[in-house]
Amino acid sequence: MTRLLDLGIDRIRNIIMDMAKLSEKSVTTAIESYEKGASTKKVIFEWSEQLRVLQDEVGDLAIELIARYQPVATDLRFIRSCMEIAYGFSRFGRYAYDIVDVLETMGSIANCDKSAVLEMSCTVREMIRISVQALQSKDKNAAEKLYQMDDTVDALYRKYLREAITPYEKADKGSFDPRCYISALLILRYLERISDHACYIGDSVHYIITGMSSPRR
Amino acid sequence: MSSEEYANTNSYKLSSLAVTKRHGYKVSVRNLNSWFGSKQALKDINFDVKENTVTALIGPSGCGKTTLIRCLNRMNEMTSSATVKGSVYLDDIDIYANNVDPVIIKRRMGMVFQKPNPFPTMSIYDNVAAGLKLNGIRDKALIREIVEESLKGAVLWDEVKDELGKPGLSLSGGQQQRLCIARALAMQPEVLLMDEPTSALDPIASAKIEELMNELRKELTVIIVTHNMQQAARVSNHTAFMYLGELVEYGPTKQIFENPQKELTERYISGKFG
C-alpha cells in the first residue's frame, strides 16, 4: 500500500527534475547566446520566472508534507534538501538571465575575445550535468568531484580577473573596448556562482543519502 | 521534619547502599532477558540512561516496550509467569540483587500508566497522600506540604487547590493523569516511568503532559513508552527502537529521527511497517 507521504514526495521529485532540465537548458542557451550573439533574453526571462514559480511550489509542498505527515529520516532529509536544490536550480535560471541581460546591455560584443568565458562555461555546464545526474542516480560521491571542479573554476576566475586588468594598464587606450572586459568579467562571475550552486546541489544529494554534511561543507 | 529531611531519611533511601552512578548513568540495563512462561519477551537488552533526561521507548505493538519498562522497577514481578535474567542498575545498585527490597525500588522509580487510575473512592488530596500514609508518614503538616509540592510539580495545583476534597474521579482525563503523576511524585522518585501516559488523552491534555515531562526532567529522569513517534521526537533526548523483543537501535533522538543507522529503524519510523 502506498504511503500518502510518498505521493507528495513523488510530486516534489518530479518538480525538481523538471527544474533540473529547465535550468540546464537556460544556462546552455545563455552561453550559446554569448557565443553566437543570439537574442534570447525574453525566453530565458520566462524560463527563469518558471523556475522561480517551481521553487515556490517545492517550498509550499515541502511545508505541507512536513505539516501533514511529519516525515522523518530519509523522507525528511529528502524534503529539506529539495528546498535547497530547488533554490539552486532557481539561481541557475536567474544567472542565465543575468548573462543574457549583460549581452543586451553591452550591445554588440561580436569582436571580443570570448575564449575565457567559453573555457569556464565548459566546466560549469559539466558541473550542472553532474549535479543533475547525482540527483537522479543518488550519487553521494558527486559532491567531492564537483568541489574539485569548483576549485578549477575559482582558479580560472581569479586568473581571468588578473588578466582582465593587465591589458587595460598596458593597452593603447584608443583601441581598448571596455564592453569586452566588463561583459566577460560579469559573465565569469555568474558562472562562478553557478559553479558554487552546483556544489551545493552535490552537498544536498550527499546529505540525502548519508545524513551527513559533505566533507567539504 | 521538612520534605527534604523526609526524603533523606534512611527509611526512604536504600539504607546503607551507596548512591553513586554507574559510569555516570542513572539507569543501566545489562543483558536483560525476560520471559512469560516459555515465551521470551526481551532478548539481551543493553542500554544506559543519563540522569535528567527523557528517554522514549518506541516500537510496534508486542515488541516488548511495556515489558521492558516494567522490568526497570521490578513491576513485572507482579505477573506470576514472568521471569527475568540480567541486570538493571539504578545508580550503582543492581535492583535484581537478592538484598534489594523491590518496594524501595518502586519508590525510587515511580510509574504512571496508560489509563489514568486515581483511587476511585479517594479525594484528590488523599490520592496524593495515600502513598505517604502507607509508608508510615503521620505528620499531617508534612503530608500537606508534600501533597501541595507534588500537585505543583504535576502542574495541577492551580486547577484543584480549592477543591482538594473532591473525588479524584471528578477531574477530567488529563487532570486525572496529572493527579496520578502527582501521586507518583509524592514518593519523591528519582526516575519516573511512564507507560503510554497520553494515549487516552485529547491533544490539549497530551500537550500538557508533554510540557510537564520537560519540567520533570529538570528534577528527575523520565523513561516513557509511546506509540506516538511524533511525541517521542518532541519530548525525548534519547530514543530506543525495539522490535520482536530486541533493542534494535538506541541513540540521540535527533539522530534516530533524522539519520537512523539501522534500516529497520528507518522503515518503522517512516511508517513503512508496523
Side-chain angles (χ1 to χ4, degrees):
Chain A
M1 196 158 58
T2 306
R3 294 180 308 160
L4 294 175
L5 173 61
D6 285 336
L7 301 175
I9 283 178
D10 286 346
R11 172 86 183 115
I12 282 196
R13 185 180 288 113
N14 290 339
I15 297 172
I16 288 288
M17 293 323 296
D18 287 347
M19 290 185 79
K21 285 178 200 155
L22 191 55
S23 62
E24 196 173 359
K25 187 166 75 171
S26 300
V27 174
T28 301
T29 305
I31 297 298
E32 284 172 359
S33 298
Y34 173 75
E35 187 178 7
K36 297 170 184 167
S39 176
T40 55
K41 186 175 177 182
K42 188 164 177 281
V43 68
I44 290 187
F45 175 77
E46 283 170 8
W47 291 344
S48 172
E49 278 299 289
Q50 278 179 37
L51 285 165
R52 194 185 54 74
V53 169
L54 289 172
Q55 184 204 343
D56 287 347
E57 205 173 315
V58 168
D60 289 346
L61 191 50
I63 294 297
E64 184 185 347
L65 294 180
I66 290 167
R68 286 165 73 110
Y69 305 111
Q70 293 96 44
V72 294
T74 304
D75 296 330
L76 179 62
R77 299 202 301 270
F78 179 79
I79 291 168
R80 174 195 152 174
S81 297
C82 278
M83 289 196 276
E84 293 177 0
I85 291 168
Y87 176 69
F89 287 142
S90 178
R91 293 311 299 165
F92 287 176
R94 177 64 207 194
Y95 290 127
Y97 173 74
D98 288 339
I99 289 170
V100 291
D101 188 48
V102 165
L103 304 181
E104 291 269 327
T105 306
M106 293 291 163
S108 173
I109 53 168
N111 296 323
C112 295
D113 176 6
K114 297 175 180 172
S115 59
V117 167
L118 294 178
E119 183 185 355
M120 192 194 276
S121 73
C122 283
T123 308
V124 169
R125 285 166 65 182
E126 177 64 5
M127 290 176 75
I128 294 174
R129 194 193 63 75
I130 290 172
S131 65
V132 172
Q133 178 65 30
L135 192 57
Q136 285 172 325
S137 62
K138 298 179 181 171
D139 178 3
K140 68 181 166 67
N141 298 318
E144 185 53 39
K145 185 170 185 190
L146 286 165
Y147 272 107
Q148 285 170 7
M149 296 173 83
D150 186 51
D151 289 343
T152 306
V153 168
D154 287 345
L156 279 173
Y157 178 64
R158 281 191 295 273
K159 176 173 167 268
Y160 294 138
L161 206 56
R162 281 192 296 272
E163 285 179 3
I165 298 164
T166 310
Y168 178 73
E169 288 168 344
K170 292 179 182 171
D172 171 4
K173 300 294 187 288
S175 64
F176 178 75
D177 184 352
R179 288 177 302 180
C180 294
Y181 293 98
I182 293 170
S183 60
L185 282 178
L186 283 170
I187 294 170
L188 289 170
R189 179 65 182 158
Y190 299 142
L191 291 174
E192 189 272 333
R193 293 299 299 135
I194 290 172
S195 164
D196 286 343
H197 282 282
C199 289
Y200 302 153
I201 290 170
D203 286 338
S204 292
V205 173
H206 186 277
Y207 173 69
I208 291 169
I209 309 303
T210 67
M212 318 283 272
S213 298
S214 83
R216 289 277 198 117
R217 197 76 189 253
Chain B
M1 186 165 60
S2 71
S3 58
E4 195 176 338
E5 288 167 333
Y6 160 67
N8 287 328
T9 55
N10 282 341
S11 64
Y12 196 71
K13 292 283 180 187
L14 272 176
S15 64
S16 59
L17 292 171
V19 182
T20 53
K21 286 167 191 60
R22 183 178 171 81
H23 310 301
Y25 295 109
K26 188 68 189 173
V27 177
S28 292
V29 178
R30 289 289 173 274
N31 305 318
L32 189 71
N33 292 270
S34 173
W35 293 263
F36 292 104
S38 61
K39 183 175 166 45
Q40 187 162 9
L42 296 177
K43 299 170 188 170
D44 268 329
I45 306 289
N46 289 280
F47 69 105
D48 298 304
V49 176
K50 282 185 183 170
E51 192 169 27
N52 300 120
T53 59
V54 178
T55 298
L57 306 180
I58 62 170
S61 298
C63 71
K65 307 181 294 290
T66 294
T67 303
L68 175 57
I69 205 170
R70 288 170 65 88
C71 283
L72 295 183
N73 74 344
R74 296 182 63 166
M75 184 74 78
N76 65 314
E77 292 176 337
M78 296 167 78
T79 305
S80 58
S81 63
T83 51
V84 170
K85 193 178 163 192
S87 303
V88 175
Y89 293 90
L90 174 61
D91 297 319
D92 239 8
I93 300 152
D94 182 352
I95 68 165
Y96 283 99
N98 289 334
N99 60 340
V100 172
D101 180 353
V103 174
I104 294 175
I105 292 301
K106 289 186 183 72
R107 280 187 207 152
R108 291 184 64 186
M109 302 177 91
M111 194 152 200
V112 175
F113 299 91
Q114 181 175 359
K115 204 173 162 194
N117 57 351
F119 300 129
T121 58
M122 288 187 190
S123 67
I124 294 167
Y125 183 94
D126 286 340
N127 258 283
V128 183
L132 300 170
K133 290 175 182 171
L134 276 171
N135 279 280
I137 309 298
R138 295 283 173 264
D139 183 337
K140 287 185 178 174
L142 174 62
I143 292 174
R144 199 175 306 119
E145 185 189 338
I146 294 175
V147 168
E148 182 176 335
E149 276 182 17
S150 303
L151 286 167
K152 282 178 177 169
V155 199
L156 187 59
W157 174 252
D158 288 341
E159 294 164 54
V160 301
K161 64 186 175 190
D162 298 324
E163 45 193 32
L164 294 172
K166 279 192 173 179
L169 286 180
S170 67
L171 300 173
S172 70
Q175 287 173 322
Q176 285 183 30
Q177 191 62 304
R178 279 180 283 146
L179 178 62
C180 293
I181 292 171
R183 189 174 64 192
L185 294 180
M187 303 310 294
Q188 304 189 348
E190 296 152 57
V191 178
L192 189 60
L193 307 171
M194 306 177 96
D195 189 1
E196 296 188 55
T198 63
S199 61
L201 305 182
D202 66 40
I204 303 293
S206 297
K208 281 193 176 177
I209 300 286
E210 289 180 8
E211 288 162 15
L212 177 56
M213 277 184 237
N214 192 45
E215 288 301 313
L216 293 173
R217 181 169 63 88
K218 295 168 187 167
E219 301 296 327
L220 41 85
T221 305
V222 178
I223 301 175
I224 173 179
V225 165
T226 179
H227 266 122
N228 181 334
M229 278 177 289
Q230 279 68 45
Q231 180 174 69
R234 282 192 297 268
V235 303
S236 69
N237 306 100
H238 289 80
T239 297
F241 167 58
M242 297 183 67
Y243 186 64
L244 297 177
E246 294 182 25
L247 181 59
V248 175
E249 187 166 352
Y250 176 60
T253 296
K254 183 180 187 300
Q255 180 188 301
I256 296 289
F257 285 95
E258 191 181 322
N259 190 18
Q261 302 301 297
K262 301 281 176 65
E263 174 70 17
L264 198 58
T265 314
E266 161 104 26
R267 289 182 57 226
Y268 177 72
I269 63 172
S270 302
K272 290 172 184 165
F273 82 97

